[in-house]
């Protein structure tokens, strides 16, 4: 099956007489004929659902679909993208460990990595994508156990050279974890370029309609944990009568540990109803990503030639700093987010935002609706203009998340908004 077909037919496969739509299994628990069978479930020696804090059939179908879309061996859904970022690392790191992370990542992830995980005794060491291999390697310590980065960064809109960073990680015996939220597996599949683990905030394009917060971790099944000394996966887990994940679960060792140990203990599994909504979003993901990408490119081209625009960033736009990497990693489109800087700084940016009629002013991106966000007066409003510039945010910069409306209507709205600034 091609990826568009997988969006609809992977996961739940109804048999003769079964409902066509994915059923919502609204049940906390599952019945078995014998205590012996349940005992085997507890020892991870039999397949089956036991309790909906660990797995649920509706969620499991969606996990199967997402694993198939990314080309992984297994996926584990959870309650948010933040949880996915955290657990993807915490599954293999503990107190006293460190990991490398690209500095071009989502603001919420920076808080999690720099503040909360630091309190847990896990150190995040940032690198810049523009550094040479040698400069990045110089940051690696003896306790460094993973590299984390975003394939298409939010909000920087830089494109990660996945192959280069994956090679670098593997040279040092560690996995590369890629946050693939913005491209989705429709536009980029990091596992095909050497990444080992992929995570998503499904809240964004996968859901696509701004209805449900969620996250997922996908296990690529390619990393050799035992050989590289990840003893948490290759030595007995006492909480399961000494199971050894790499021996009992082979390629799905990482995903199995994540579910049966961390999801079990931390209680971050999503409800069946949330998975149902996510599945609806996934069914139309391929057509939406195509439309988001073509609309965003058209909007970026329109903005680029406009007198009131100081600069536009969109990796699919010829002349963009990341155009060549986008051609390699995002050949079918660069997703729907464009960043633009209006001449006249904050004053004009606010005038423009307030004049827009179609585009919604929200703290969100990646939905069917076109929406805008002005960091200087919203998410980063506590900073002075000097502080904003130091943080790499121009006071006139606006993040435009291009929806799937008719592009003529979107451009008309942008044109009217810009007319208020002159
Ligand atoms: C939104 C976002 C997250 C966090 O996801 P939530 O679902 O909001 O917890 C992580 N990474 C990226 C790239 C995001 O855009």
């Amino acid at each position: 099956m091609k990826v568009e077909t997988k969006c609809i037919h992977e996961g739940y496969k109804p048999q003769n007489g079964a409902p066509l739509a994915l059923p919502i299994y609204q049940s906390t628990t599952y019945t078995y004929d014998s205590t012996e069978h349940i005992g085997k479930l507890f020892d991870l020696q039999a397949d089956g659902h036991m309790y909906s804090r660990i797995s649920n059939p509706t969620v499991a179908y969606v996990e199967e679909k997402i694993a198939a879309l990314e080309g992984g061996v297994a996926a584990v859904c959870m309650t948010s993208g933040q949880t996915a970022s955290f657990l993807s690392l915490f599954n293999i790191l503990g107190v006293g460990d460190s990991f490398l992370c690209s500095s071009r990542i989502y603001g919420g992830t920076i808080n999690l990595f720099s503040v909360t995980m630091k309190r847990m005794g896990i150190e995040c060491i940032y690198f810049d994508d523009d550094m040479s291999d040698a400069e990045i390697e110089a940051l690696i310590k003896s306790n460094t156990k993973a590299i984390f980065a975003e394939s298409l960064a939010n909000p920087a809109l830089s494109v990660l050279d996945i192959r280069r960073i994956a090679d670098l990680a593997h040279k040092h015996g560690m996995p590369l974890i890629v946050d693939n939220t913005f491209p989705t597996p429709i536009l980029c599949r990091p596992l095909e370029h050497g990444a080992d683990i992929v995570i998503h905030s499904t809240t964004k394009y996968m859901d696509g309609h701004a209805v449900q917060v969620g996250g997922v971790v996908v296990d690529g099944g390619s990393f050799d944990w035992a050989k590289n000394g990840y003893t948490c996966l290759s030595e007995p887990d006492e909480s399961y009568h000494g199971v050894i994940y790499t021996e009992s679960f082979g390629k799905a060792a990482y995903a199995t540990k994540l579910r049966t140990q961390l999801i079990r203990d931390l209680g971050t599994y999503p409800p069946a109803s949330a998975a149902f909504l996510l599945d609806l979003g996934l069914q139309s993901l391929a057509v939406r990503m195509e439309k988001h990408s073509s609309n965003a490119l058209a909007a970026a081209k329109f903005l680029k030639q406009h007198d009131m625009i100081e600069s536009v960033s969109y990796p699919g736009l010829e002349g963009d700093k990341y155009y060549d990497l986008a051609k390699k990693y995002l050949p079918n489109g660069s997703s729907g987010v464009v960043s633009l800087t209006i001449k006249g700084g904050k004053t004009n940016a606010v005038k423009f935002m307030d004049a827009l009629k179609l585009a919604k002013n929200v703290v969100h991106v990646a939905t069917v609706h076109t929406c805008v966000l002005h960091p200087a007066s919203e998410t980063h409003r506590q900073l002075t203009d000097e502080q904003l510039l130091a943080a790499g945010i121009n006071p006139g910069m606006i993040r435009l998340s291009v929806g799937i409306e008719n592009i003529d209507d979107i451009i008309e709205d942008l044109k009217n908004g810009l007319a208020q600034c002159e």
Side-chain angles (χ1 to χ4, degrees):
M1 283 193 265
K2 300 276 194 293
V3 75
E4 297 86 344
T5 316
K6 286 182 184 173
C7 283
I8 294 161
H9 293 283
E10 278 290 358
Y12 176 60
K13 299 184 179 91
Q15 302 300 308
N16 191 34
L20 176 63
L22 171 63
I24 300 175
Y25 288 93
Q26 190 68 49
S27 181
T28 57
T29 192
Y30 308 86
T31 63
Y32 290 93
D33 290 339
S34 70
T35 35
E36 190 198 342
H37 192 147
I38 296 179
K40 283 192 175 151
L41 289 175
F42 267 101
D43 285 348
L44 302 181
Q45 286 167 2
D47 279 339
H49 302 286
M50 181 166 54
Y51 188 52
S52 293
R53 176 159 31 82
I54 301 167
S55 70
N56 165 280
T58 307
V59 187
Y61 286 127
V62 180
E63 290 170 337
E64 258 176 59
K65 180 178 282 186
I66 294 173
L69 289 173
E70 284 288 5
V73 296
V76 182
C77 280
M78 45 203 78
T79 46
S80 70
Q82 288 293 94
T83 311
S85 301
F86 171 55
L87 294 186
S88 70
L89 288 157
F90 196 61
N91 201 31
I92 47 170
L93 271 71
V95 63
D97 290 333
S98 68
F99 65 101
L100 289 194
C101 180
S102 164
S103 56
R104 295 177 206 170
I105 53 167
Y106 173 67
T109 313
I110 295 180
N111 288 335
L112 168 66
F113 289 177
S114 303
V115 182
T116 300
M117 286 180 71
K118 189 174 167 194
R119 288 181 52 215
M120 296 173 170
I122 298 173
E123 183 193 7
C124 175
I125 304 164
Y126 290 101
F127 68 89
D128 190 89
D129 298 31
D130 288 341
M131 286 178 168
S132 68
D133 286 3
E135 284 172 313
I136 297 175
E137 285 179 296
L139 298 171
I140 298 173
K141 301 183 185 176
S142 60
N143 66 358
T144 304
K145 291 203 172 151
I147 303 187
F148 187 101
E150 291 179 13
S151 49
L152 171 56
N154 173 15
L157 300 182
S158 53
V159 179
L160 182 72
D161 190 344
I162 303 173
R163 178 59 65 184
R164 168 169 100 100
I165 304 299
D167 286 349
L168 212 145
H170 297 158
K171 185 176 159 197
H172 293 271
M174 19 178 203
L176 172 63
I177 303 173
V178 172
D179 180 341
N180 197 34
T181 297
F182 268 19
T184 81
I186 304 302
L187 301 176
C188 176
R189 288 180 292 281
L191 299 176
E192 292 175 2
H193 302 291
D196 303 286
I197 306 293
V198 168
I199 72 133
H200 287 273
S201 163
T202 62
T203 318
K204 311 294 163 57
Y205 290 110
M206 282 190 167
D207 170 289
H209 302 75
V211 294
Q212 180 69 56
V213 174
V216 68
V217 176
V218 183
D219 184 350
S222 52
F223 194 79
D224 192 333
W225 305 104
K227 188 178 135 219
N228 288 297
Y230 288 76
T231 52
C232 59
L233 284 151
S234 62
E235 285 182 359
D237 178 353
E238 293 318 320
S239 73
Y240 279 111
H241 299 300
V243 72
I244 296 175
Y245 294 100
T246 47
E247 285 180 8
S248 298
F249 302 101
K251 285 187 179 305
Y254 173 95
T256 307
K257 175 178 180 288
L258 175 57
R259 176 190 305 284
T260 58
Q261 190 186 73
L262 295 184
I263 300 282
R264 175 200 63 185
D265 290 353
L266 300 172
T268 51
Y269 204 58
S273 54
F276 174 83
L277 291 172
L278 175 55
D279 192 60
L280 280 185
L282 291 171
Q283 289 178 36
S284 62
L285 185 64
V287 278
R288 286 189 290 108
M289 291 320 291
E290 212 172 282
K291 185 78 172 167
H292 278 296
S293 298
S294 61
N295 274 358
L297 180 59
K301 283 183 177 163
F302 162 76
L303 291 166
K304 178 104 183 160
Q305 53 76 46
H306 198 285
D307 288 346
M308 284 309 294
I309 297 294
E310 194 172 296
S311 65
V312 178
S313 292
Y314 183 67
L317 193 64
E318 217 164 328
D320 190 88
K321 184 176 173 197
Y322 297 99
Y323 184 69
D324 289 338
L325 282 171
K327 271 205 298 197
K328 179 170 179 192
Y329 293 107
L330 302 163
N332 299 318
S334 294
S335 198
V337 181
V338 175
S339 102
L340 56 131
T341 301
I342 300 189
K343 288 181 188 161
K346 201 165 167 174
T347 318
N348 269 346
V350 169
K351 271 193 205 164
F352 168 76
M353 300 268 296
D354 289 347
L356 296 174
K357 295 222 157 55
L358 185 77
K360 301 290 178 221
N361 204 332
V362 295
V363 184
H364 192 51
V365 289
T367 151
V368 290
H369 323 74
T370 292
C371 42
V372 282
L373 177 91
H374 181 220
S377 58
E378 295 170 5
T379 50
H380 296 71
R381 65 173 295 117
Q382 71 279 15
L383 306 188
T384 63
D385 280 7
E386 290 75 50
Q387 287 174 319
L388 282 170
L389 289 171
I393 297 167
N394 189 304
M397 202 251 296
I398 286 166
R399 198 173 59 176
L400 170 69
S401 174
V402 183
I404 61 171
E405 302 94 338
N406 186 294
I407 186 61
D408 296 345
D409 292 331
I410 296 170
I411 288 181
E412 187 63 24
D413 198 36
L414 297 174
K415 201 185 277 177
N416 290 339
L418 287 168
Q420 305 308 308
C421 305
E422 285 155 20

